[in-house]
Amino acid sequence: MDFSSFLTSLGTSFFIFVVLMLLFAWLSSKPGNSVIYYPNRILKGLESIEGGSKTRNPFSWIHEALSSSEEDVISISGVDTAVYFVFLSTVLGILVLAGVVLLPVLLPVAVTDDNGKLSANSTTSNGTFGELDKLSMGNIKEKSHRLWAFLIAVYWVSFVTYYLLWKAYNHVSGLRAAALTSPEIKAEQFAVLVRDIPPVPEGQTRKEQVDSYFKTIYPETFYRSMVVTKNKEVNKIWGELEGFKKKLAHAEAVYAESKAKGKPEGERPTNRTGFLGLIGKKVDSIEYYNEKINELIPKLESEQKVTLKEKQQASALIFFTSRATAASAAQTLHARMVDTWTVMDAPESRQLIWNNLTIKFFERQIRQYVVYIVVALTIMFFMIPIGIISAFTTLANLKKYLPFLKPVVNIEAIRTVLEAYLPQIALIVFLAMLPKFLLFLSKTEGIPSESHAIRAASGKYFYFSVFNVFIGVTVGGTLFSTFKTIEKHPNSIVDVLATSLPGSATFFLTYVALKFFVGYGLELSRIVPLIIYHLKRKYLCKTEAELKEAWAPGDLSYGTRVPGDLLIITIVLCYSVIAPIIIPFGVLYFGLGWLILRNQALKVYVPSYESNGRMWPHMHTRIIAALLLFQVTMFGFIGVKKFYYAPILIPLPIMSLIFAFVCRKKFYRFFCSTALEVACRELKETPNMEHIFRSYIPPSLSSEKLDDDQYEDALSQISRSASSV
Amino acid sequence: MDFSSFLTSLGTSFFIFVVLMLLFAWLSSKPGNSVIYYPNRILKGLESIEGGSKTRNPFSWIHEALSSSEEDVISISGVDTAVYFVFLSTVLGILVLAGVVLLPVLLPVAVTDDNGKLSANSTTSNGTFGELDKLSMGNIKEKSHRLWAFLIAVYWVSFVTYYLLWKAYNHVSGLRAAALTSPEIKAEQFAVLVRDIPPVPEGQTRKEQVDSYFKTIYPETFYRSMVVTKNKEVNKIWGELEGFKKKLAHAEAVYAESKAKGKPEGERPTNRTGFLGLIGKKVDSIEYYNEKINELIPKLESEQKVTLKEKQQASALIFFTSRATAASAAQTLHARMVDTWTVMDAPESRQLIWNNLTIKFFERQIRQYVVYIVVALTIMFFMIPIGIISAFTTLANLKKYLPFLKPVVNIEAIRTVLEAYLPQIALIVFLAMLPKFLLFLSKTEGIPSESHAIRAASGKYFYFSVFNVFIGVTVGGTLFSTFKTIEKHPNSIVDVLATSLPGSATFFLTYVALKFFVGYGLELSRIVPLIIYHLKRKYLCKTEAELKEAWAPGDLSYGTRVPGDLLIITIVLCYSVIAPIIIPFGVLYFGLGWLILRNQALKVYVPSYESNGRMWPHMHTRIIAALLLFQVTMFGFIGVKKFYYAPILIPLPIMSLIFAFVCRKKFYRFFCSTALEVACRELKETPNMEHIFRSYIPPSLSSEKLDDDQYEDALSQISRSASSV
């Protein structure tokens, strides 16, 4: 990619961004779209636009985002979202502080030197370096004393990172403490999850076993237990029932509409009973669904009874009347065999993964290691296709290996666009395939809570990204030329990385720009959800519930967002000293990101769980990992320049490791378990334990027909009757 | 060492053993020696000899040891001692089961083969192999199918070890649970130690700070706190005072004796006031010591007040009225900053290391790593002298390098004795120097309890022993001949180890025999303590207290005993298949050890602390480490024999690692913290909390003059008055 195609790419991205912003300003002011642009506010029962005035400035969202406080974010979108903004602003701070010093110092130092070897050496490595190269460290002569400036810059960036990360960890720890201290009653703070319960002794039910065990240990604060059951069957029936209920409502709405429109007696909707409603007998929908529902209700009830009675598993939720007891119980060893009665914090009821609750202790261990191996293999073997793709998708290579494309490619316009976007698009599409697979793997580990599984998947995704995108593209961009070197000297991989870094700088510049202009433009304008919503509204949705489902905004999806951001910060950090011109791009990425996501968090997305900032330690560790990678490559890169003082950089990676160690020791345990000084604060009111208990009953097991008292009795009676069997 | 010198060594050792046994039988029957042979029983207020009959069989101790049950050991010598016997019997079991199969199978297989190369190859490596070599694997031809037997033997030994270790871990875990469940009141079960208390807030005393913190968290079960003070000064004064009191008693006894003997008015003892009582003014002892005591008592009292008032540290002991709360508090995170309010189980009061209680969180971390580095350096650099010693102390080398010794060495008798004992004695003396240093290092780490420090020191000692004695002697025995090989191919260290193992077999046979015959002979007969006691009684001791001190038996000293045993089991395991003839020696070592130490535990040693079997996981892990070393060297050794099926052994080390992992996961946590199901059992009586609290007051701070109530008031008043300052 030469300089002009770089500018083209930048220009195109910016143009798309501006168009999307204008679209957003126009579309968001239409009242009919407010469910797309303000769903979170609507669901919270707030007015869609603050102040509610109709003739508002189309750019007032910027002011609203900037003036919103952290408390607003916490109250509207939860602690996890607030922590995400701490992450964004910390990274932004690092880049701004780095840029303020590096840009005015390093750029003049680089541009006024003139590396004679340049055209003969660095640039030919992949032939894509143009005017930008003058602004980078590649322009410095070997052994030049100007390298001192770059060396000190590495120290500056590192210290800025340490300082801001430390402050941020402290701050996030405070946020978490405030959330856990809050006098609001949160059901999960009163419960623990106990797994690996030993076999039921003769003459006892599971429930009696669990109750008597915990009553002995916590005679005063034990409230009640809920034995985990195998819900596969009952879930299936319940799912079918709910499906038919929705279809019935839909059919009734269609019927009512047809009455209102044409014939006064209406047209009764019909459907076919066979596969996907395409084949089979044609029946009257309303009758058919009513019939099905009436069939399923007793089936569900009997299955509920069978499940509660016979499908009890070796796992339970225990409820305490005190937060402090629950916090302490989750951290304490209960049985002398560590693989029995394992107790942990109960996740929120909405993020419990019921199927994983019954997996046994050592099976969990084995699953974990198997998953680690699978992930490692995935990371290794994806490296090959990515390397090949990025090596192929330079135009020169395309023409060389696929000569039949030559006529198409030689058209100037197509050529420029292709050159600008081809490798980046390949990369983005490629990465979009992965998260689902990694989340699936993480759930397979046996993790009992959704948020934990997402954290685990996001960690895997980060390591995948760094290894494959960053290292793969960097080394892969010069893969064909350097493959023989690596083959001969396998130890020289750091050298290869260091020498090929500058060559990939423009690739990453374009990648970052594409991500923030087009990515954030799409994010803010919500073009895709808007179109889907309007299509659904027009052609599919008939009932209120269907409509609500159509505009349901989903959550911020940290699982993929955070690793993406971390990849950007890794790239920007690694290039920050080599080619400081990347820093403004990074600043724009995180600055725009902060602004646009602030708007989205306040107005659009609805968090689907709350983990009270447990994501932070992972973000923190991974920023340090990025910093380490930066420090090591800088050591290699300055070494390649034959600078004798390069070893002055050696203390830096060691300092990073110590910093990581100290942070982990000082802060981490509080992110795994609740500190008692936090949990022992007083509550606003006496907790309604029955309400807390009930919130953990899965919907498929809570019965509509039985009223509250009956249900409670049923659960207890079943235990009692089971003991008499 | 040739075969005859091996037999000489064995014979001499056995002779010494028999002599010592006879001495024991004779000496132990004399009533005047009962304080040496039955001190534990005497201190426990039991009759010195069971049954008390005077004309007892001199060998009845064997019967008594064999018929004693585990409960006897626990009740007389504590759980730690019982766990030590579990260790001894487990190892004994492993060796017996291994020997039962290996001896009748492998010896015939080895002896009927004839390795033609033997005299030309293996034996010349250090020229010490004789008839014994025929019984070992060295006698098997390369690539011989007979190696299958040895290969299967490795599997047999491994499985026997897994099985018995698993059973033992289960059993020890049960012992620990029983000890912790016991309805007896143990002070340490009601207390926790809290360190790293943050600075005192304005307008509060340390005591108020601690009390209010824990009262908030444990409103119902918090009893009282004891702030840790800096006791250096007060300890010094108290030590001086106690010294003078002893000296006064001694002087009075001397005076009374002189009265009884000669002149009716007696002869008043005198002493000099200067250095060591050798120089300075001559004074009347009784007057002088009385004066000194009267001087020191008010000094001690004022220092006690100053200490309690002004030398409070950021550390405290917290007392709870419930065992379960204390057990749970010790495992739970209290503050959100992990490096403040760190809580752990309180050690027994007698094993608290007061000076270490005040070391800060990160200082402890730093100290730990510094100590690890120092230990690693010690292990590395002691290797050199040991290598040199063992290479020099073969007679051939002595004659070669120190030719002036030739005339002495050529005398047959001297030559044989020297050959037999020289290297072993050098080794034993060498190892005796180390334990104190390692214990000192472990205490420097900042460990707050004596037993933990001893465990840590014993671990260091084990790794030192294995690295230096076992690997050092084995490789060092052929050091001069193989040094050049290692230099050329540094990767061949496993090969070197494997080829040089058979050469050192006889060395270790003699070493083991020396250890059990002479070592255990001395242990049982207690010749050295007996002589010292009688000398002291005759010439030094005048008072009852002095006499009691003279025969105080001390404890079993696991700290050095366990690593010694572990070194033996490492040696025997590693040679068990190569030269199965070592197995009976191992069986004798652990069998005799069990018998003799059972006697000593029941009758002699008084445990100085109780850790409820926390030593076990370390023993367990180290036996597995020995097994791993065995498996790896066997893989190398069978590989050296060019046996194509050697890779069949590869799964074994992996299985050992998995076994260690599973054991650690399943059992280990219970050895670090108390399980609640164990701590929540009911007590025999309501605990006397005041008594529990008082047991933790160090002797230098408990005052004789003030009665109980006053002391309590003093402690509280001080806190109150300090707040008004």
Side-chain angles (χ1 to χ4, degrees):
Chain A
M1 185 193 305
D2 55 30
F3 193 60
S4 79
S5 74
F6 168 68
L7 284 184
T8 315
S9 152
L10 216 62
T12 330
S13 299
F14 183 69
F15 177 71
I16 296 172
F17 179 69
V18 168
V19 168
L20 289 170
M21 293 296 277
L22 292 173
L23 262 176
F24 168 71
W26 178 58
L27 289 169
S28 68
S29 63
K30 305 227 160 209
N33 292 337
S34 66
V35 288
I36 291 299
Y37 294 107
Y38 309 99
N40 193 17
R41 290 183 68 85
I42 290 168
L43 286 172
K44 287 238 161 28
L46 300 166
E47 269 181 279
S48 62
I49 298 158
E50 235 159 302
S53 66
K54 276 203 166 177
T55 55
R56 69 200 285 269
N57 184 336
F59 294 100
S60 61
W61 67 271
I62 295 177
H63 173 72
E64 284 163 22
L66 285 174
S67 62
S68 65
S69 69
E70 196 164 49
E71 287 82 53
D72 298 337
V73 175
I74 291 175
S75 70
I76 291 177
S77 189
V79 177
D80 284 345
T81 311
V83 167
Y84 180 62
F85 284 107
V86 172
F87 162 72
L88 287 180
S89 51
T90 303
V91 171
L92 188 63
I94 294 170
L95 294 182
V96 167
L97 282 181
V100 162
V101 173
L102 263 55
L103 284 174
V105 173
L106 294 191
L107 288 187
V109 169
V111 86
T112 54
D113 204 347
D114 186 30
N115 191 348
K117 287 190 190 172
L118 194 70
S119 54
N121 190 350
S122 320
T123 42
T124 47
S125 61
N126 56 1
T128 61
F129 241 40
E131 287 80 351
L132 281 178
D133 203 30
K134 287 224 156 176
L135 299 172
S136 86
M137 210 173 136
N139 205 35
I140 303 286
K141 286 198 193 73
E142 280 183 1
K143 301 182 195 175
S144 164
H145 278 290
R146 294 178 180 222
L147 287 167
W148 274 108
F150 293 88
L151 198 144
I152 291 163
V154 180
Y155 267 90
W156 171 251
V157 173
S158 303
F159 282 117
V160 162
T161 310
Y162 298 147
Y163 172 68
L164 289 177
L165 278 182
W166 180 266
K167 264 186 63 182
Y169 217 142
N170 238 322
H171 180 65
V172 172
S173 171
L175 288 182
R176 181 175 165 83
L180 293 176
T181 329
S182 110
E184 305 290 328
I185 288 161
K186 292 170 188 161
E188 70 275 11
Q189 288 196 307
F190 292 86
V192 298
L193 172 63
V194 56
R195 291 186 286 179
D196 312 303
I197 304 174
V200 184
E202 200 71 38
Q204 259 192 327
T205 63
R206 175 70 72 189
K207 202 169 166 52
E208 284 167 359
Q209 178 199 20
V210 172
D211 283 4
S212 75
Y213 188 86
F214 282 95
K215 223 172 240 163
T216 318
I217 298 179
Y218 305 99
E220 278 146 32
T221 47
F222 173 78
Y223 172 68
R224 203 173 161 178
S225 71
M226 180 191 287
V227 175
V228 168
T229 48
K230 206 170 194 173
N231 299 341
K232 206 181 153 194
E233 281 303 307
V234 79
N235 278 345
K236 204 184 136 205
I237 297 171
W238 184 77
E240 277 174 19
L241 182 65
E242 290 297 303
F244 283 126
K245 278 184 187 164
K246 272 185 200 162
K247 280 180 185 163
L248 177 65
H250 183 89
E252 275 169 350
V254 169
Y255 182 51
E257 198 180 322
S258 74
K259 263 194 216 164
K261 263 188 191 161
K263 313 157 199 171
E265 76 280 6
E267 190 183 335
R268 291 186 76 86
T270 57
N271 69 308
R272 292 174 190 274
T273 57
F275 176 74
L276 282 176
L278 295 176
I279 50 169
K281 209 168 57 143
K282 206 170 185 178
V283 292
D284 181 293
S285 293
I286 296 177
E287 271 171 32
Y288 175 71
Y289 292 135
N290 263 323
E291 208 174 276
K292 280 279 173 191
I293 289 169
N294 290 335
E295 244 171 57
L296 279 172
I297 284 177
K299 211 172 151 194
L300 177 67
E301 273 164 21
S302 78
E303 181 59 37
Q304 280 178 344
K305 273 183 193 150
V306 168
T307 304
L308 286 172
K309 196 170 175 176
E310 286 163 20
K311 295 190 175 169
Q312 299 190 354
Q313 302 292 308
S315 175
L317 288 152
I318 312 294
F319 297 87
F320 296 102
T321 54
S322 130
R323 289 205 291 195
T325 310
S328 150
Q331 299 172 53
T332 316
L333 180 69
H334 280 72
R336 80 183 167 87
M337 292 303 167
V338 184
D339 61 344
T340 57
W341 299 101
T342 46
V343 178
M344 59 172 282
D345 279 313
E348 290 178 306
S349 57
R350 54 180 169 173
Q351 49 166 315
L352 263 183
I353 304 175
W354 280 78
N355 289 335
N356 279 349
L357 297 186
T358 58
I359 301 170
K360 286 263 147 209
F361 187 80
F362 281 110
E363 194 188 330
R364 295 202 294 272
Q365 306 281 341
I366 294 166
R367 277 164 177 254
Q368 200 181 21
Y369 285 103
V370 170
V371 165
Y372 286 172
I373 292 167
V374 171
V375 169
L377 290 179
T378 311
I379 290 178
M380 312 277 243
F381 288 108
F382 264 73
M383 193 119 179
I384 299 164
I386 279 223
I388 291 170
I389 285 172
S390 76
F392 262 100
T393 49
T394 63
L395 265 199
N397 277 331
L398 273 187
K399 277 192 271 187
K400 203 159 139 201
Y401 297 103
L402 307 168
F404 56 88
L405 281 179
K406 232 175 190 171
V408 187
V409 164
N410 278 349
I411 302 164
E412 187 63 21
I414 294 180
R415 205 178 73 90
T416 319
V417 171
L418 270 186
E419 262 196 346
Y421 287 123
L422 227 161
Q424 289 86 345
I425 288 171
L427 189 61
I428 288 168
V429 168
F430 200 76
L431 288 177
M433 290 159 52
L434 208 68
K436 292 263 166 206
F437 176 62
L438 292 177
L439 186 60
F440 163 76
L441 280 181
S442 299
K443 285 188 180 169
T444 312
E445 281 182 43
I447 293 170
S449 89
E450 196 78 36
S451 68
H452 188 173
I454 288 174
R455 281 199 299 281
S458 127
K460 296 180 177 80
Y461 193 50
F462 168 71
Y463 289 110
F464 176 87
S465 309
V466 168
F467 273 89
N468 285 295
V469 181
F470 184 58
I471 299 182
V473 167
T474 311
V475 182
T478 58
L479 195 69
F480 286 159
S481 52
T482 55
F483 194 67
K484 278 173 194 165
T485 331
I486 298 175
E487 211 171 26
K488 276 181 204 153
H489 315 282
N491 296 328
S492 66
I493 198 128
V494 170
D495 284 356
V496 169
L497 198 59
T499 43
S500 55
L501 268 178
S504 308
T506 30
F507 173 90
F508 283 117
L509 276 181
T510 331
Y511 176 71
V512 174
L514 187 70
K515 266 219 128 179
F516 67 69
F517 278 141
V518 180
Y520 283 133
L522 284 172
E523 174 71 60
L524 183 67
S525 63
R526 289 177 66 75
I527 293 292
V528 181
L530 184 79
I531 293 168
I532 291 172
Y533 163 69
H534 280 294
L535 286 177
K536 275 195 183 165
R537 197 176 60 124
K538 195 138 196 179
Y539 301 106
L540 293 173
C541 304
K542 298 293 172 191
T543 64
E544 267 304 304
E546 282 174 327
L547 215 57
K548 205 168 173 183
E549 213 169 75
W551 56 259
D555 69 1
L556 210 58
S557 61
Y558 302 106
T560 49
R561 202 176 288 278
V562 170
D565 294 343
L566 283 167
L567 178 62
I568 301 285
I569 179 72
T570 309
I571 291 169
V572 175
L573 267 186
C574 283
Y575 281 101
S576 61
V577 169
I578 296 175
I581 196 74
I582 204 170
I583 294 178
F585 288 80
V587 169
L588 259 176
Y589 177 84
F590 288 104
L592 261 181
W594 189 93
L595 191 68
I596 287 172
L597 287 173
R598 194 78 162 197
N599 179 69
Q600 306 299 83
L602 291 173
K603 293 170 187 162
V604 180
Y605 294 124
V606 179
S608 60
Y609 58 79
E610 175 65 80
S611 73
N612 294 315
R614 289 192 61 171
M615 190 67 167
W616 173 257
H618 301 269
M619 295 167 172
H620 174 88
T621 313
R622 274 151 213 161
I623 296 174
I624 295 179
L627 187 70
L628 254 175
L629 188 62
F630 159 62
Q631 290 164 341
V632 171
T633 43
M634 281 316 294
F635 173 64
F637 193 65
I638 290 186
V640 165
K641 286 276 176 192
K642 302 203 173 98
F643 191 53
Y644 298 127
Y645 301 101
I648 291 177
L649 289 175
I650 290 175
L652 273 183
I654 297 165
M655 276 168 62
S656 295
L657 290 173
I658 292 174
F659 178 74
F661 174 81
V662 169
C663 285
R664 196 186 166 81
K665 279 276 172 190
K666 189 176 171 74
F667 301 109
Y668 186 58
R669 208 178 143 198
F670 177 54
F671 282 81
C672 296
S673 26
T674 310
L676 285 189
E677 68 173 21
V678 160
C680 73
R681 296 297 168 82
E682 269 174 35
L683 290 160
K684 213 163 61 179
E685 51 193 323
T686 320
N688 177 348
M689 287 311 298
E690 199 47 37
H691 186 76
I692 288 172
F693 175 76
R694 207 155 288 277
S695 73
Y696 272 91
I697 298 170
S700 60
L701 280 177
S702 69
S703 178
E704 283 168 12
K705 260 178 74 188
L706 302 161
D707 69 344
D708 274 15
D709 286 347
Q710 271 178 304
Y711 178 75
E712 190 178 345
D713 278 351
L715 200 70
S716 311
Q717 272 168 357
I718 280 159
S719 316
R720 271 179 232 131
S721 62
S723 70
S724 64
V725 170
Chain B
M1 186 191 307
D2 55 30
F3 193 59
S4 80
S5 75
F6 168 68
L7 284 184
T8 314
S9 151
L10 216 61
T12 329
S13 299
F14 183 68
F15 176 71
I16 295 173
F17 178 69
V18 168
V19 168
L20 289 171
M21 291 296 277
L22 292 173
L23 260 176
F24 168 71
W26 178 58
L27 289 170
S28 67
S29 63
K30 307 228 161 209
N33 293 336
S34 66
V35 288
I36 290 299
Y37 293 106
Y38 309 99
N40 193 17
R41 291 181 68 82
I42 289 169
L43 286 173
K44 286 236 160 28
L46 302 164
E47 270 181 278
S48 63
I49 299 157
E50 235 158 302
S53 67
K54 277 205 167 180
T55 56
R56 69 199 284 266
N57 183 336
F59 293 101
S60 59
W61 67 270
I62 295 177
H63 173 72
E64 285 163 21
L66 285 175
S67 63
S68 66
S69 70
E70 195 164 49
E71 287 82 53
D72 297 339
V73 175
I74 292 175
S75 70
I76 290 178
S77 190
V79 177
D80 283 345
T81 312
V83 167
Y84 180 62
F85 284 106
V86 173
F87 162 72
L88 288 181
S89 51
T90 304
V91 172
L92 187 62
I94 293 171
L95 294 183
V96 167
L97 282 182
V100 162
V101 173
L102 265 55
L103 285 174
V105 173
L106 294 191
L107 288 187
V109 169
V111 85
T112 54
D113 203 345
D114 185 29
N115 190 349
K117 286 190 187 172
L118 194 68
S119 54
N121 190 350
S122 319
T123 42
T124 48
S125 62
N126 57 359
T128 61
F129 240 40
E131 286 81 348
L132 282 178
D133 203 30
K134 287 224 156 176
L135 300 172
S136 86
M137 208 173 139
N139 205 35
I140 302 287
K141 285 199 194 74
E142 278 182 2
K143 300 181 193 174
S144 163
H145 277 293
R146 294 179 180 222
L147 287 168
W148 275 108
F150 293 88
L151 199 145
I152 292 163
V154 180
Y155 267 90
W156 170 249
V157 173
S158 303
F159 282 117
V160 162
T161 310
Y162 299 147
Y163 173 68
L164 288 176
L165 279 182
W166 181 266
K167 264 185 63 180
Y169 216 143
N170 238 320
H171 180 64
V172 172
S173 171
L175 288 182
R176 180 174 165 84
L180 292 176
T181 329
S182 110
E184 305 289 329
I185 286 160
K186 291 169 188 160
E188 70 275 12
Q189 288 195 309
F190 292 88
V192 296
L193 172 63
V194 55
R195 291 187 286 179
D196 313 303
I197 304 174
V200 184
E202 200 71 36
Q204 260 192 323
T205 63
R206 176 70 74 188
K207 200 166 169 53
E208 284 167 359
Q209 179 199 18
V210 173
D211 283 3
S212 75
Y213 189 84
F214 283 94
K215 223 172 242 165
T216 317
I217 299 178
Y218 306 99
E220 278 146 32
T221 47
F222 174 77
Y223 172 68
R224 202 171 161 180
S225 71
M226 180 191 287
V227 175
V228 168
T229 48
K230 206 170 194 172
N231 298 342
K232 206 181 152 195
E233 281 301 307
V234 78
N235 278 346
K236 205 184 137 205
I237 297 171
W238 184 77
E240 277 175 20
L241 182 65
E242 291 297 303
F244 284 125
K245 278 182 187 165
K246 272 186 198 161
K247 280 180 183 161
L248 178 64
H250 184 89
E252 276 168 350
V254 170
Y255 183 50
E257 199 180 320
S258 75
K259 264 194 215 162
K261 263 188 191 160
K263 313 158 197 169
E265 76 280 6
E267 190 182 333
R268 290 185 76 85
T270 58
N271 69 309
R272 291 176 191 273
T273 56
F275 178 74
L276 283 177
L278 296 175
I279 49 167
K281 209 167 61 144
K282 206 169 185 177
V283 291
D284 181 292
S285 292
I286 297 177
E287 270 171 33
Y288 176 70
Y289 291 135
N290 264 324
E291 206 174 279
K292 279 280 174 191
I293 289 169
N294 290 335
E295 243 172 57
L296 280 172
I297 284 178
K299 212 172 150 193
L300 177 68
E301 275 164 20
S302 78
E303 182 60 37
Q304 281 177 343
K305 274 183 195 153
V306 168
T307 304
L308 287 173
K309 194 171 175 177
E310 285 163 19
K311 294 189 177 172
Q312 300 191 355
Q313 302 290 310
S315 176
L317 288 153
I318 313 294
F319 297 87
F320 296 102
T321 53
S322 131
R323 290 205 289 194
T325 310
S328 149
Q331 299 172 52
T332 317
L333 180 69
H334 280 72
R336 80 182 167 87
M337 292 303 166
V338 184
D339 62 344
T340 58
W341 298 101
T342 46
V343 179
M344 59 173 282
D345 279 313
E348 290 179 309
S349 57
R350 55 179 168 174
Q351 49 167 315
L352 262 183
I353 304 175
W354 280 77
N355 290 336
N356 279 350
L357 297 185
T358 57
I359 300 170
K360 286 263 145 208
F361 186 80
F362 281 110
E363 194 188 329
R364 296 201 295 272
Q365 307 281 342
I366 296 167
R367 277 165 178 251
Q368 200 181 21
Y369 286 102
V370 170
V371 165
Y372 287 172
I373 293 168
V374 170
V375 169
L377 290 179
T378 310
I379 290 178
M380 311 278 243
F381 289 109
F382 264 73
M383 193 120 179
I384 298 163
I386 281 222
I388 292 170
I389 286 172
S390 76
F392 262 99
T393 49
T394 63
L395 266 197
N397 276 331
L398 273 187
K399 278 192 271 185
K400 203 160 140 201
Y401 295 104
L402 306 170
F404 55 89
L405 281 180
K406 233 177 192 170
V408 188
V409 165
N410 278 350
I411 301 164
E412 187 63 21
I414 294 181
R415 206 177 74 91
T416 318
V417 171
L418 270 184
E419 264 195 346
Y421 285 123
L422 228 160
Q424 289 84 344
I425 287 171
L427 191 60
I428 287 168
V429 168
F430 201 75
L431 288 178
M433 290 159 52
L434 208 66
K436 292 264 167 206
F437 176 60
L438 293 177
L439 185 60
F440 163 76
L441 280 182
S442 297
K443 285 188 180 168
T444 312
E445 280 181 44
I447 293 169
S449 91
E450 197 78 35
S451 67
H452 187 173
I454 287 174
R455 282 198 299 281
S458 127
K460 296 181 176 80
Y461 193 50
F462 168 71
Y463 289 109
F464 176 87
S465 309
V466 168
F467 273 88
N468 284 294
V469 181
F470 184 58
I471 298 183
V473 168
T474 311
V475 182
T478 59
L479 194 70
F480 287 159
S481 52
T482 55
F483 193 66
K484 279 173 194 164
T485 331
I486 298 176
E487 212 171 27
K488 275 181 205 150
H489 314 284
N491 296 327
S492 67
I493 199 126
V494 170
D495 283 356
V496 169
L497 198 58
T499 44
S500 55
L501 267 179
S504 308
T506 31
F507 172 90
F508 284 117
L509 275 182
T510 332
Y511 176 71
V512 173
L514 187 71
K515 266 220 128 179
F516 67 69
F517 279 139
V518 180
Y520 284 134
L522 285 172
E523 175 71 60
L524 183 66
S525 64
R526 288 177 67 75
I527 293 292
V528 181
L530 184 80
I531 293 169
I532 291 174
Y533 163 68
H534 280 295
L535 286 176
K536 276 195 182 167
R537 197 175 60 123
K538 193 137 196 181
Y539 301 107
L540 292 173
C541 303
K542 299 293 170 192
T543 63
E544 268 303 305
E546 282 173 329
L547 215 57
K548 205 169 172 184
E549 212 169 76
W551 57 259
D555 69 1
L556 210 60
S557 61
Y558 304 105
T560 49
R561 202 177 287 278
V562 170
D565 294 343
L566 283 167
L567 178 62
I568 301 285
I569 178 72
T570 309
I571 292 169
V572 175
L573 267 187
C574 282
Y575 282 101
S576 61
V577 168
I578 296 175
I581 196 74
I582 203 170
I583 294 177
F585 288 81
V587 169
L588 259 175
Y589 177 85
F590 288 103
L592 262 181
W594 189 94
L595 191 70
I596 286 173
L597 288 173
R598 193 81 161 195
N599 179 69
Q600 306 298 84
L602 291 173
K603 291 168 186 163
V604 180
Y605 294 123
V606 179
S608 60
Y609 58 80
E610 175 65 82
S611 72
N612 294 315
R614 288 192 63 169
M615 190 67 167
W616 173 258
H618 301 269
M619 296 168 172
H620 174 89
T621 313
R622 274 151 214 162
I623 296 175
I624 295 180
L627 187 71
L628 253 175
L629 189 61
F630 159 62
Q631 289 164 341
V632 171
T633 42
M634 281 315 294
F635 173 65
F637 193 65
I638 291 187
V640 165
K641 286 276 176 195
K642 300 204 174 95
F643 189 54
Y644 299 128
Y645 302 100
I648 291 177
L649 289 175
I650 290 175
L652 273 182
I654 298 166
M655 275 168 63
S656 296
L657 290 174
I658 292 174
F659 178 75
F661 174 81
V662 169
C663 284
R664 196 185 166 82
K665 279 277 172 189
K666 189 177 172 71
F667 301 109
Y668 185 60
R669 208 179 142 197
F670 177 53
F671 282 80
C672 296
S673 25
T674 310
L676 286 189
E677 67 173 20
V678 158
C680 73
R681 298 294 168 82
E682 269 174 36
L683 290 160
K684 214 163 60 180
E685 52 192 323
T686 319
N688 177 347
M689 288 310 298
E690 199 47 37
H691 186 75
I692 288 171
F693 175 76
R694 208 154 287 277
S695 73
Y696 272 90
I697 298 171
S700 60
L701 279 177
S702 69
S703 178
E704 282 167 14
K705 260 178 71 187
L706 302 161
D707 67 346
D708 275 13
D709 286 347
Q710 270 179 306
Y711 179 75
E712 190 178 343
D713 279 351
L715 200 70
S716 312
Q717 272 167 358
I718 281 158
S719 314
R720 271 179 232 127
S721 62
S723 72
S724 64
V725 170

